[in-house]
Amino acid sequence: MSFSLATWNINSVRLREPLVLKLLAEHGPDVLCLQECKSPVDKIPVEAFQAAGYTHMVARGQKGYNGVAILSKLPLLDAGDQDFAMLGHARHVAAKLENGTTIHNFYVPAGGDKPDREINEKFGQKLDYLSEMRDWFHSDKPEKSILVGDLNIAPREDDVWDHKKLLKIVSHTPVEVEALGAVQDAGNWVDITRQDVPTGNLYSWWSYRAADWDAADKGRRLDHIWATADIAQAGHSSHIVRDARGWEKPSDHAPVFASFDL
């Protein structure tokens, strides 16, 4: 079974429904994982997605914030969710394909502006969330699984536009990078994007604050596709649809793609 998969922080699925439909029409992933849907599940525009061929959905939502959804051409079974750090946020949902592959869709907390949990509660919540992800994967080792989403951390030096300038900026601080590495190690996860594109600057997010995001190119790779080691070699064809960041009324994230032969 071969299928393509994409992950995209859409920053409001209702506001950007036309962009989701554009991506589905032009790039046609078999499975699309969305984060920051900012919608209760019953308000997600499923009819339009079904009309585009995405007749299956597993989602968790809440009004105005967070929210994760998995849209699929392929049949899916709801595989549950986790509320790490007991935030009460819709930040994780899992689904299982008919071939037994489990897909985890995550939206890790951004962490606020100051990388110090003593003065910034949101940063502490982010670290706690990552710690509980780590502990969960230690206690319940994933197999035949794919983890995707906006993990809100750019771990490598070439995942940011300037490593030294961003060392004290939330999303690239050493403590966050270490915490994400611990999550990855706990589940024996392989970074599929960097397996396919091992060197060179690679970004999936550009700030709205940039007057010309494309020319400035001050990006970060915050969005990820991982797979457990038992299926990592089945992953291929990774790429980022950078052009989507320039579509009308865009998300500040671009979709990340990979394909799997399982």
Side-chain angles (χ1 to χ4, degrees):
M1 175 181 173
S2 298
F3 62 95
S4 57
L5 178 148
T7 179
W8 194 9
N9 178 318
I10 193 59
N11 191 13
S12 178
V13 68
R14 287 187 284 173
L15 179 64
R16 296 188 169 83
E17 174 189 345
L19 300 191
V20 176
L21 293 173
K22 180 177 172 68
L23 186 81
L24 298 180
E26 294 183 1
H27 295 271
D30 294 303
V31 180
L32 174 61
C33 298
L34 299 172
Q35 305 87 38
E36 205 173 353
C37 293
K38 294 183 176 179
S39 175
V41 173
D42 63 357
K43 299 294 185 182
I44 295 174
V46 290
E47 294 84 359
F49 303 147
Q50 289 171 347
Y54 293 78
T55 53
H56 304 273
M57 183 181 79
V58 174
R60 300 293 186 271
Q62 61 189 104
K63 185 178 180 181
Y65 297 94
N66 309 311
V68 284
I70 303 175
L71 310 177
S72 180
K73 295 178 181 178
L74 310 172
L76 292 175
L77 289 176
D78 192 318
D81 59 79
Q82 297 291 324
D83 180 21
F84 295 115
M86 294 187 295
L87 297 176
H89 296 173
R91 291 186 175 275
H92 170 255
V93 69
K96 184 167 284 191
L97 298 174
E98 286 187 324
N99 69 356
T101 303
T102 299
I103 299 171
H104 292 277
N105 184 13
F106 275 97
Y107 177 39
V108 171
D113 294 327
K114 300 290 184 182
D116 183 345
R117 67 182 306 149
E118 298 302 319
I119 61 172
N120 176 12
E121 180 184 19
K122 290 182 178 180
F123 193 70
Q125 290 174 345
K126 182 177 191 175
L127 296 181
D128 291 344
Y129 193 97
L130 292 163
S131 294
E132 293 191 18
M133 283 179 68
R134 175 201 65 201
D135 293 346
W136 187 48
F137 291 135
H138 268 308
S139 63
D140 189 6
K141 287 287 187 183
E143 297 179 347
K144 200 176 182 181
S145 297
I146 299 168
L147 184 157
V148 309
D150 177 3
L151 305 185
N152 263 311
I153 297 171
R156 294 177 25 153
E157 292 188 17
D158 52 3
D159 288 339
V160 295
W161 66 275
D162 191 312
H163 168 62
K164 290 183 178 179
K165 288 182 178 177
L166 270 70
L167 279 172
K168 295 183 180 180
I169 301 299
V170 173
S171 78
H172 192 60
T173 66
V175 66
E176 292 170 274
V177 171
E178 182 179 357
L180 187 66
V183 172
Q184 189 173 356
D185 291 345
N188 203 16
W189 297 104
V190 176
D191 182 343
I192 297 299
T193 308
R194 281 305 191 180
Q195 176 178 268
D196 282 352
V197 189
T199 59
N201 290 354
L202 201 60
Y203 313 138
S204 65
W205 175 90
W206 296 262
S207 174
Y208 284 132
R209 297 175 184 174
D212 187 337
W213 70 273
D214 193 29
D217 203 22
K218 293 183 176 181
R220 307 176 202 174
R221 186 173 71 102
L222 304 180
D223 306 272
H224 301 265
I225 297 177
W226 296 353
T228 46
D230 56 344
I231 63 169
Q233 292 308 310
H236 61 90
S237 303
S238 298
H239 61 283
I240 296 172
V241 183
R242 179 187 174 108
D243 289 353
R245 178 61 179 84
W247 292 350
E248 186 176 356
K249 297 181 180 177
S251 169
D252 46 358
H253 294 253
V256 181
F257 276 71
S259 293
F260 291 87
D261 299 329
L262 291 170

